């Protein structure tokens, strides 16, 4: 009898222990990209150990026939706070969650979340929900008409709570009431839902100045919401991937003195004289006293490298010519001399798609290629973004959601959907020494062909999508068109390098694959925005990896002999003007208001084009006579043709 009573008591004790923990609040549907998702657990006693518990998230579908897990979080090592609460959520949630959950991970519903006794290994992804070892569960949705019926049955739940009651899901959360039912109201993360409990002082950490530079000092400040009654010490760590203890010096603690709300400490960034690029420093707050709660934590700050490389040439918006020396081998284009029409086009393809020489890299390698090929000439820690015409730190490469603001990614100039090579290569970088052979029929190699891939602002890349140049896409408002010639020459390259790719007039639709426009615009852009040092550097770097070059960068006038005004005529390299010769030609004054003089050529003809490729002025000239011009202020390109029929292109600014 005593044995029976002892067993019953143990069972009751275990049940009572497990029954202390419930799901107190969840906010699954938050504004925009779901950056404020959280879930809060509550124990009936304060500072309750969560060893032996696991939190499991289950997916429900719109037709209610799914009940499989998609995330499990071990709670071992965690305890609830002085009010019996434990907060899990996105990094932007305030107060700072004890357990961080990635942005967009918690699904909006119809879904469910449950607490089990056990650990995460018991719930690999796609584990079916059940009542075995179940402690508490909550089924939820964002619609009255759609409920996770299979999940409700599996978890023995009779109610699914609609977070979107009143059509306010983005600003409301689901909260447990004291009677065990749920209601929807304004979120209360880190606090009791009914407003009771012990008021905990919030602590915030910050770093100044706003721009952190290697070799300078910086200050870490802790700020309390209320003045402290006695001295309080707060500790922290500075860490993150390549940012280590060797990157700074100083004390990793700060004291808020009695009667104050602020305490700080000053540290110093090590000047290592190494060009290692910008780094992200993460500030991690240590354990805080029980009467404090972290209002932020795991805060990332950008530390700018002061040892960056500066190249001698300009950016695309301030182009230079002849400073970046071409690495084309002697005789590389010798077989093109005197050829015309289809024979000329085939001769180009025989060079740039030669299976005995040309290499295929993969999409993962493109990140490393672009960090070198599209490096900002003014700061080696950055890449230059083509359409938006601005630099961005190399470490801000997009690894998450496509189109994320502040990040850059890989722009396919001949877009994937039009080329028919979507996801044609691996995204796992292998390095320059690992490659596959390729030929003109290997269309999938176009997925990772560096000659038409450029660093680009992630949102702008998404806006461009598969739109055709000129007739549909002309870049963001106010751009200077410094990329016009670059995209033209990249498209021309792709249409010769790969069989089945074509550039045509107009605004072709996506189907069938293999067509992009607008040819007329791209031919104009090829002339109006000449190949500069930045583009030559890109050509050189890609050549180092792929062992082929973009001939339309080396000889831009080739495009006219295949698609343009000289189509069908024999091409000779002497018809092209080296960029170092272009640098000898000048327009003075420049900027100008209504007149200028051409230097470097005795006699010739000049044509002035707008940045959209429209001819707005032309006349003959001599270098002893001023050219009178009457056009609106703006940036133009001037095509100068000498008496011996050589052409030069220069930028002209009208005030």
């Amino acid at each position: 009898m005593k044995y029976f009573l002892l067993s019953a008591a143990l069972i009751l004790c275990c049940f009572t222990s497990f029954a202390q923990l419930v799901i107190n609040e969840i906010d699954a549907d938050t504004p925009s990209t779901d950056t404020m998702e959280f879930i809060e657990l509550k124990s009936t006693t304060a500072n309750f150990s969560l060893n032996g518990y696991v939190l499991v998230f289950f997916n429900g579908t719109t037709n209610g026939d799914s009940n499989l897990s998609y995330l499990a979080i071990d709670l071992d090592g965690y305890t609830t706070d002085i009010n019996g609460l434990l907060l899990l959520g996105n990094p932007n949630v305030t107060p700072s969650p004890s357990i961080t959950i990635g942005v967009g991970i918690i699904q909006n519903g119809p879904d469910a979340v449950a607490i089990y006794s056990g650990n995460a290994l018991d719930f690999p992804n796609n584990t079916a929900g059940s009542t075995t070892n179940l402690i508490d569960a909550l089924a939820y949705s964002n619609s009255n008409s759609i409920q996770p019926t299979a999940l409700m049955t599996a978890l023995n739940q009779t109610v699914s709570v609609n977070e979107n009651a009143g059509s306010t899901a983005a600003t409301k959360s689901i909260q447990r009431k004291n009677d065990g039912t749920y209601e929807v109201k304004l979120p209360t993360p880190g606090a009791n839902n009914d407003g009771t409990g012990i008021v905990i002082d919030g602590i915030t950490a910050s770093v100044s100045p706003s721009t952190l530079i290697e070799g300078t000092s910086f200050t870490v400040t802790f700020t309390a919401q209320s003045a402290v009654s006695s001295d309080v010490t707060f500790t922290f760590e500075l860490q993150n991937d390549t940012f280590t203890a060797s990157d700074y010096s100083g004390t990793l603690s700060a004291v808020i003195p009695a009667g104050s709300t602020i305490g700080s400490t000053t540290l110093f960034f090590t000047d290592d004289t190494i060009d290692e690029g910008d780094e992200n420093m993460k500030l991690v707050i240590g354990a805080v006293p029980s009467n404090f709660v972290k209002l932020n934590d795991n805060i990332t700050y950008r530390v700018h490298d002061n040892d960056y490389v500066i190249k001698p040439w300009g950016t695309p918006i301030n182009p230079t010519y002849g400073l970046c020396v071409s690495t084309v081998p002697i005789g590389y284009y010798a077989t093109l001399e005197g050829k015309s029409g289809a024979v000329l086009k085939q001769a180009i393809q025989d060079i740039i798609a030669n299976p005995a020489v040309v290499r295929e890299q993969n999409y993962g390698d493109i990140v490393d290629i672009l960090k070198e090929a599209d490096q900002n000439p003014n700061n080696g820690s950055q890449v230059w973004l083509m359409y938006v015409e601005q630099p961005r730190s190399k470490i801000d490469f997009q690894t998450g959601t496509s189109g994320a603001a502040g990040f850059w990614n890989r722009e396919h100039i001949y877009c994937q959907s039009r080329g028919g090579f979507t996801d044609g290569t691996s995204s796992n970088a292998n390095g320059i020494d690992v490659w596959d052979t390729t030929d003109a029929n290997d269309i999938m190699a176009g997925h990772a062909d560096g000659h038409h891939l450029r660093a680009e602002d992630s949102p702008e890349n998404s806006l461009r999508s598969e739109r055709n140049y000129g007739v549909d896409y002309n870049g963001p408002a106010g751009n200077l068109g410094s990329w016009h010639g670059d995209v033209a020459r990249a498209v021309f390259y792709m249409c010769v390098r790969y069989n089945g790719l074509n550039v045509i007039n107009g605004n072709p639709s996506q189907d069938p694959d293999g067509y992009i426009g607008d040819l007329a615009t791209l031919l104009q852009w090829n002339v109006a925005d000449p190949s500069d040092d930045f583009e030559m550097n890109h050509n050189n770097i890609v050549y180092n990896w792929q062992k082929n070059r973009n001939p339309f960068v080396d000889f831009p006038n080739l495009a006219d002999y295949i698609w343009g005004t000289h189509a069908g005529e024999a091409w000779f390299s002497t018809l092209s003007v080296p960029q170092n010769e272009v640098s000898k030609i000048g327009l003075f004054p420049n900027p100008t208001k209504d007149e200028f003089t051409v230097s470097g050529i005795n006699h010739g003809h000049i044509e002035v084009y707008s940045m959209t490729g429209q001819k707005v002025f032309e006349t003959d000239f001599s270098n002893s006579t001023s050219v009178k011009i009457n056009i609106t202020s703006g940036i133009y390109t001037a095509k100068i043709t000498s008496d011996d029929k050589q052409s030069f292109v220069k930028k002209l600014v009208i005030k």
Side-chain angles (χ1 to χ4, degrees):
M1 183 68 175
K2 290 180 180 180
Y3 176 80
F4 173 78
L5 291 174
L6 178 61
S7 299
L10 287 173
I11 293 172
L12 179 60
C13 179
C14 292
F15 176 80
T16 303
S17 174
F18 282 130
Q20 292 190 74
L21 191 64
V22 296
I23 297 165
N24 196 51
E25 184 175 1
I26 185 170
D27 194 354
D29 193 351
T30 67
S32 185
T33 53
D34 280 343
T35 60
M36 299 293 286
E37 302 167 330
F38 71 87
I39 183 169
E40 181 183 78
L41 310 182
K42 183 174 178 61
S43 59
T44 54
T45 59
N47 304 313
F48 181 74
S49 172
L50 299 180
N51 290 338
Y53 292 93
V54 57
L55 185 65
V56 184
F57 295 82
F58 292 94
N59 179 45
T61 58
T62 54
N63 57 14
D65 62 358
S66 176
N67 69 333
L68 302 179
S69 66
Y70 65 89
L71 176 66
I73 301 175
D74 255 321
L75 301 179
D76 291 342
Y78 293 92
T79 60
T80 59
D81 65 14
I82 197 170
N83 287 315
L85 301 175
L86 180 81
L87 184 63
L88 307 87
N90 298 159
N92 292 335
V93 172
T94 300
S96 181
S98 298
I99 300 176
T100 301
I101 300 176
V103 171
I105 297 298
I106 301 177
Q107 298 182 9
N108 291 352
D111 296 306
V113 60
I115 305 171
Y116 286 90
S117 60
N119 59 66
L121 295 178
D122 301 327
F123 296 90
N125 283 353
N126 298 316
T127 298
S130 73
T131 57
T132 303
N133 297 321
L134 179 66
I135 306 303
D136 189 40
L138 170 64
Y140 65 92
S141 179
N142 55 9
S143 170
N144 280 326
S145 60
I146 303 174
Q147 297 186 345
T149 53
L151 273 172
M152 294 170 66
T153 300
L155 300 175
N156 194 29
Q157 299 295 299
T158 59
V159 176
S160 173
V161 184
N162 176 21
E163 185 181 353
N164 199 34
S167 301
T168 56
T171 58
K172 301 292 179 66
S173 68
I174 299 172
Q175 301 179 30
R176 190 177 192 271
K177 297 194 292 185
N178 292 330
D179 62 4
T181 61
Y182 288 88
E183 62 182 336
V184 175
K185 61 180 186 178
L186 292 175
T188 61
N192 285 334
N193 298 336
D194 61 2
T196 62
I198 299 172
V199 177
I200 302 176
D201 197 357
I203 189 73
T204 302
S206 61
V207 171
S208 61
S210 57
T211 300
L212 304 176
I213 303 174
E214 182 180 280
T216 64
S217 62
F218 64 103
T219 300
V220 176
T221 300
F222 286 88
T223 304
Q225 290 179 315
S226 304
V228 300
S229 58
S230 60
D231 291 1
V232 182
T233 300
F234 295 96
T235 62
F236 59 94
E237 295 180 3
L238 300 175
Q239 58 181 325
N240 195 39
D241 299 329
T242 61
F243 189 88
T244 65
S246 64
D247 291 310
Y248 65 90
S249 58
T251 303
L252 298 178
S253 64
V255 177
I256 299 181
S260 179
T261 59
I262 296 177
S264 63
T265 183
T266 298
L267 300 91
F268 191 83
F269 289 118
T270 305
D271 189 354
D272 54 19
T273 71
I274 301 172
D275 179 20
E276 58 192 347
D278 297 344
E279 296 180 286
N280 283 330
M281 174 186 75
K282 182 179 289 185
L283 188 154
V284 180
I285 304 174
V288 299
S290 60
N291 58 325
F292 284 89
V293 62
K294 305 174 189 177
L295 297 182
N296 65 345
D297 199 5
N298 298 297
I299 319 149
T300 299
Y301 296 91
R302 176 63 44 79
V303 181
H304 297 279
D305 188 4
N306 66 343
D307 302 303
Y308 54 79
V309 172
I310 299 176
K311 297 293 186 181
W313 52 82
T315 66
I317 60 174
N318 293 293
T320 57
Y321 306 94
L323 299 179
C324 181
V325 179
S326 170
T327 58
V328 60
I330 296 175
Y332 186 77
Y333 293 113
T335 56
L336 306 185
E337 297 293 323
K339 291 184 171 60
S340 62
V343 176
L344 175 61
K345 183 178 180 182
Q346 184 60 55
I348 298 173
Q349 187 184 74
D350 290 342
I351 297 172
I352 65 176
N354 183 354
V357 177
V358 180
R359 300 177 178 182
E360 175 189 336
Q361 304 293 157
N362 67 35
Y363 199 44
D365 292 325
I366 289 296
V367 180
D368 294 322
I369 293 174
L370 293 181
K371 285 180 179 179
E372 186 179 5
D374 286 357
Q375 181 172 301
N376 177 16
N378 295 330
N379 187 332
S381 298
Q382 303 170 335
V383 290
W384 184 265
L385 307 183
M386 184 173 60
Y387 302 138
V388 297
E389 301 175 320
Q390 61 185 245
R392 187 156 299 160
S393 180
K394 289 179 178 179
I395 62 174
D396 288 328
F397 176 72
Q398 171 195 296
T399 57
T401 305
S402 179
F407 292 89
W408 66 275
N409 58 13
R410 297 156 287 192
E411 160 70 330
H412 289 88
I413 292 175
Y414 202 118
C415 41
Q416 297 186 69
S417 56
R418 291 186 178 279
F421 41 72
T422 301
D423 299 330
T425 65
S426 170
S427 292
N428 297 318
N430 291 327
I432 193 170
D433 295 324
V434 179
W435 45 273
D436 291 328
T437 57
T438 182
D439 58 28
N441 293 315
D442 182 14
I443 192 66
M444 288 302 171
H447 177 247
D449 193 316
H451 284 302
H452 86 120
L453 279 148
R454 296 293 286 269
E456 189 50 70
D457 173 66
S458 185
E460 188 63 29
N461 191 350
S462 297
L463 286 173
R464 188 262 162 150
S465 185
E466 61 174 25
R467 295 158 66 189
N468 291 294
Y469 293 109
V471 288
D472 188 4
Y473 182 75
N474 287 284
N479 80 93
L480 301 177
S482 64
W483 47 274
H484 284 176
D486 302 55
V487 300
R489 290 179 282 274
V491 169
F492 298 153
Y493 162 87
M494 291 294 286
C495 292
V496 177
R497 164 67 176 87
Y498 297 97
N499 291 332
L501 297 187
N502 305 274
V503 54
I504 61 176
N505 287 319
N507 192 15
S509 60
Q510 176 182 344
D511 298 319
D513 289 341
Y515 291 89
I516 195 171
D518 168 56
L519 174 59
T521 296
L522 295 174
L523 286 170
Q524 290 176 347
W525 286 0
N526 182 47
V527 174
D529 175 34
S531 174
D532 56 22
D533 286 319
F534 185 88
E535 194 176 0
M536 182 60 71
N537 177 66
H538 184 99
N539 198 14
N540 289 344
I541 299 305
V542 175
Y543 171 66
N544 188 43
W545 283 72
Q546 297 181 183
K547 305 306 178 186
N548 72 344
R549 299 184 65 82
N550 184 342
F552 301 98
V553 174
D554 293 326
F555 297 107
N557 73 336
L558 272 170
D560 281 331
Y561 283 80
I562 296 174
W563 295 282
T565 56
H566 295 289
E569 299 178 19
W571 181 86
F572 296 92
S573 57
T574 55
L575 297 170
S576 296
V577 180
Q579 291 295 356
N580 58 352
E581 293 298 318
V582 174
S583 63
K584 299 177 182 179
I585 311 303
L587 301 174
F588 299 97
N590 190 9
T592 184
K593 184 177 181 181
D594 52 15
E595 65 178 2
F596 60 85
T597 300
V598 181
S599 65
I601 296 179
N602 291 328
H603 302 279
H605 185 77
I606 186 167
E607 299 169 303
V608 178
Y609 293 86
S610 69
M611 295 307 291
T612 61
Q614 179 183 6
K615 185 191 296 185
V616 296
F617 176 83
E618 67 176 322
T619 188
D620 294 325
F621 70 89
S622 68
N623 64 4
S624 60
T625 305
S626 293
V627 175
K628 303 293 183 179
I629 189 169
N630 183 20
I631 57 177
T632 58
S633 61
I635 298 175
Y636 298 85
T637 53
K639 180 181 180 182
I640 304 164
T641 305
S642 63
D643 288 341
D644 59 2
K645 303 306 180 185
Q646 289 188 329
S647 294
F648 307 81
V649 178
K650 306 293 289 186
K651 179 182 289 186
L652 175 63
V653 179
I654 303 297
K655 295 189 292 185

